[in-house]
């Protein structure tokens, strides 16, 4: 379209963080429309054939999302650092300039808008007709640009960790909902015995999990919620265990002049 695009990325090398790594069928359809589907698959994108929902330890059966969703597609799981690298490379192939290891220190609205950057200890300013801030839950761009942030009450937390050696069904995402305990436990396979697992609880029922010391507790709580113990028999944590709040945060209109 003749637009110059600058991507400012803080990290020089992407590392494992606890982030959502399950893309719903509608998100897979969006990836196809954006031309990113093949890039994600090449980066290890994995599409489990089945979803198993459980009410505590009781299975409610298997669901094939490719036959029961409007998109007619399976969901996709992926390892976040590889997916980030693939998307950034796709942007560069499309003509975007990427500045890595750069830190955004401020944004000013106006026509044009301007962004202050710190690169290798030096400060510079870039101007643009449109600035898009993609800097997460605690977004500073949102604050600098004057957006009013809203947030639900903090009632739920979610902990996640990446495991190798999982014995859960290879092609099945497992979702346990246990209303009797106010807990849930999720397994999203990435192929080859690797899976990203999550455990969630109400903030007033269980202390939050953090770090290697809490991995055994994470596994135990997931089993108590309803996941079979044999799934974790040979599982070894391969990434950080971290907890994040489950409350939504948003702005009513995430754009302005």
């Amino acid at each position: 379209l003749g637009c110059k695009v600058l991507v400012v990325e803080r990290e020089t090398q992407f590392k494992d963080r606890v982030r959502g790594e399950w893309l719903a069928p509608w998100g897979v359809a969006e990836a196809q429309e954006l031309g990113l589907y093949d890039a994600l698959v090449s980066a290890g994108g994995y599409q489990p054939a089945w979803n198993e929902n459980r009410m505590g330890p009781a299975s409610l059966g298997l669901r094939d999302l490719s036959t029961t969703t409007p998109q007619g597609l399976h969901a996709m799981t992926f390892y976040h650092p590889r997916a980030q690298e693939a998307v950034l490379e796709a942007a560069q192939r499309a003509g975007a300039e990427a500045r890595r290891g750069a830190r955004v220190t401020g944004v000013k609205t106006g026509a044009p808008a301007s962004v202050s950057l710190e690169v290798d200890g030096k400060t510079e300013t870039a101007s643009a007709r449109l600035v898009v801030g993609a800097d997460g839950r605690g977004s500073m761009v949102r604050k600098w640009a004057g957006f009013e942030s809203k947030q639900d009450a903090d009632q739920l937390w979610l902990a996640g960790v990446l495991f190798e050696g999982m014995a859960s069904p290879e092609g099945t995402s497992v979702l346990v909902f246990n209303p009797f305990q106010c807990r849930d436990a999720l397994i999203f396979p990435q192929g080859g015995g690797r899976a990203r697992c999550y455990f969630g609880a109400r903030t007033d029922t269980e202390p939050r999990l953090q770090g290697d010391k809490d991995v055994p507790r994470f596994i135990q709580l997931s089993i108590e919620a309803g996941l079979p113990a044999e799934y974790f028999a040979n599982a070894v944590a391969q990434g950080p265990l971290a907890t994040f709040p489950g409350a939504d945060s948003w702005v009513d209109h995430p754009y302005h002049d």
Side-chain angles (χ1 to χ4, degrees), residues 22-150:
W22 182 84
L23 196 59
W26 64 262
V28 177
E30 292 282 355
Q32 290 178 339
E33 186 174 345
L34 290 168
L36 292 173
Y37 175 84
D38 289 340
L40 290 172
V41 170
S42 297
Y46 181 75
Q47 294 187 272
W50 302 99
N51 261 32
E52 181 189 19
N53 288 330
R54 289 174 169 252
M55 183 67 72
S59 177
L60 303 180
L62 298 175
R63 178 183 176 188
D64 181 352
L65 298 181
S66 70
T67 62
T68 59
T69 60
Q71 295 78 21
L73 296 168
H74 292 298
M76 181 185 289
T77 63
F78 48 82
Y79 181 55
H80 218 104
R82 282 203 295 266
Q84 288 176 282
E85 202 69 57
V87 170
L88 185 58
E89 289 174 0
Q92 291 174 290
R93 286 196 301 272
E97 176 190 353
R99 303 283 295 277
R100 301 190 71 163
R103 188 169 69 92
V104 176
T105 58
V107 172
K108 291 184 178 179
T109 59
S114 64
V115 179
S116 299
L117 310 175
E118 190 175 277
V119 188
D120 296 328
K122 298 178 181 178
T123 301
E124 58 184 81
T125 301
S127 61
R129 292 172 58 193
L130 176 66
V131 174
V132 179
D135 54 343
R137 179 184 292 269
S139 171
M140 289 301 295
V141 174
R142 181 173 57 198
K143 177 181 177 180
W144 291 326
F147 290 106
E148 180 186 357
S149 179
K150 299 181 179 180

